[in-house]
Amino acid sequence: MPELPEVEHVVRALRRAVVGRTIVASEIRLRKLIGPTSLATFKRKLKSATINGVSRRGKFILIELAPGRTAGILPAKRAQRGPSLTLAVHLRMTGKFLYLNADDELPKHSHAIFYLDNDRRLVFRDQRQFGVMKLIRAEAISQTKGIRELAPEPFGDEFSFNYLKSILKNSRRTLKTLLLDQTKVLGLGNIYASEALFRAGINPFKTATQLSSTRVARLHQSILDVLRDAITDSSTSRIDLEQADGFSYGEAFERFWQVYEREGEPCFNCGTKIRRATHGGRSTYWCPRCQRT
DNA sequence: ACCCTCACCTGCACGC
DNA sequence: TGCGTGCAGGTGAGGG
């Protein structure tokens, strides 16, 4: 479902809703959601944990937890807190968080339910079941497989013109494919990869290594602009954790898109019909005139 | 080390 | 109405 801007909005919405709350109990209805972790362990670790904060690394949502006191198994042993934990969640295509009242009906595809101390429930639903969640010791996050390999955050200093130039120089893939690789450029997905290339006026099928410095600079700026604009443009009202849909691309997003899902429609810049092609199994949209080379 | 294809799922829109 | 096909915002395994 989401690319980095949408994940950012989900993070902000979660922060407003659940930071400071304690998890009373949890329920996992789709076993594979939590991977190889034992169900019992997962539930035990979450029980009585307090949600300290919510952040993000790439498209991973990081829910920071302070474990509750676990009564010592031996009476002599003092109750103690375990190490800080992070629940890392990836929404993949259709994952959504909902924040439900006690009497709200549980929608279809609700795979995880976290019962909170205010009588409400934080629900994870996911139609296509691609989403994953994993409990990690807080200090081990950056070494966790899947997160360790991620490219630098786009809004950090490390994602510089020089960084992008070196990445492109070493790749014989097409730009569109490369922009989707989260270990090379972080945050774009199928929509914003097309949008960034349109903004930069660069053909999606161009080989990465062929790009001149001038155009690398333009692409770098376009990536930052498209991500920033998508975050700014997204009125937070469109991420509504209290709606069963939670979040969807509505009219506002469609206005934002300049090429995505606009096959056959006139380019806003030159009027030429936007084209679409399937490339690596995914749709790419571009303006054949503005993005000729 | 890189890069490609396929697999993972449900549901919707489309043409016959 | 039903049924087959293709497609959907993302990755990861496995192979060349």
Side-chain angles (χ1 to χ4, degrees):
Chain A
M1 147 174 101
E3 305 183 28
L4 188 141
E6 294 76 43
V7 173
E8 177 61 30
H9 277 285
V10 172
V11 165
R12 293 177 189 183
L14 282 173
R15 232 176 244 156
R16 290 192 297 269
V18 300
V19 166
R21 299 260 64 99
T22 293
I23 297 169
V24 175
S26 49
E27 194 180 325
I28 304 297
R29 300 185 164 201
L30 182 68
R31 183 61 190 78
K32 68 174 179 180
L33 176 62
I34 60 169
T37 317
S38 121
L39 208 57
T41 308
F42 188 87
K43 286 161 85 161
R44 178 170 46 76
K45 286 185 170 173
L46 284 184
K47 190 173 165 57
S48 303
T50 299
I51 301 171
N52 265 354
V54 185
S55 58
R56 178 186 68 65
R57 173 78 176 97
K59 300 175 188 172
F60 282 88
I61 295 167
L62 306 174
I63 301 176
E64 298 144 25
L65 301 168
R69 291 179 188 284
T70 52
I73 292 170
L74 301 169
K77 206 168 176 178
R78 272 208 344 246
Q80 50 185 269
R81 288 178 185 276
S84 290
L85 292 174
T86 296
L87 183 62
V89 183
H90 202 300
L91 305 174
R92 294 285 178 90
M93 296 283 261
T94 50
K96 290 168 172 123
F97 275 107
L98 303 182
Y99 184 51
L100 298 182
N101 284 305
D103 54 351
D104 285 338
E105 207 178 317
L106 210 56
K108 208 172 174 182
H109 308 299
S110 295
H111 304 317
I113 303 139
F114 304 100
Y115 296 87
L116 304 177
D117 60 349
N118 60 350
D119 212 28
R120 299 188 73 169
R121 289 164 294 170
L122 180 65
V123 174
F124 179 78
R125 68 181 300 219
D126 184 6
Q127 181 197 110
R128 293 177 74 179
Q129 307 181 11
F130 293 165
V132 284
M133 52 178 71
K134 187 177 186 180
L135 262 181
I136 310 164
R137 277 182 307 111
E139 67 270 21
I141 289 170
S142 58
Q143 294 102 263
T144 301
K145 188 167 178 310
I147 294 180
R148 187 193 344 158
E149 299 85 355
L150 293 175
E153 285 291 325
F155 299 124
D157 293 341
E158 219 189 312
F159 181 68
S160 60
F161 161 77
N162 282 324
Y163 170 82
L164 185 62
K165 196 167 155 61
S166 70
I167 286 294
L168 296 178
K169 191 182 62 193
N170 294 316
S171 177
R172 272 153 287 112
R173 299 148 94 182
T174 67
L175 287 167
K176 172 67 188 329
T177 306
L178 186 128
L179 291 184
L180 291 177
D181 184 342
Q182 303 297 299
T183 70
K184 302 291 190 293
V185 175
L186 190 62
L188 299 172
N190 205 38
I191 296 175
Y192 299 132
S194 278
E195 295 295 325
L197 287 162
F198 173 76
R199 286 182 183 222
I202 300 170
N203 190 282
F205 307 108
K206 195 175 177 68
T207 303
T209 188
Q210 298 174 329
L211 213 59
S212 71
S213 279
T214 317
R215 305 184 90 206
V216 173
R218 246 159 64 200
L219 181 58
H220 179 250
Q221 193 58 51
S222 297
I223 290 167
L224 290 175
D225 288 348
V226 82
L227 290 174
R228 200 173 287 133
D229 288 355
I231 291 173
T232 309
D233 245 63
S234 313
S235 67
T236 49
S237 62
R238 275 178 297 131
I239 306 279
D240 186 348
L241 302 184
E242 317 225 0
Q243 296 294 312
D245 277 344
F247 157 97
S248 64
Y249 285 107
E251 278 175 34
F253 268 111
E254 285 161 24
R255 254 181 281 121
F256 178 87
W257 299 339
Q258 299 188 65
V259 286
Y260 192 77
E261 282 190 346
R262 294 198 64 243
E263 182 182 17
E265 293 173 42
C267 169
F268 292 133
N269 197 32
C270 74
T272 305
K273 283 186 179 178
I274 300 301
R275 291 198 54 192
R276 167 185 172 276
T278 311
H279 177 227
R282 322 204 58 195
S283 289
T284 294
Y285 297 83
W286 79 104
C287 169
R289 180 148 169 204
C290 298
Q291 298 169 267
R292 212 148 40 78
T293 57

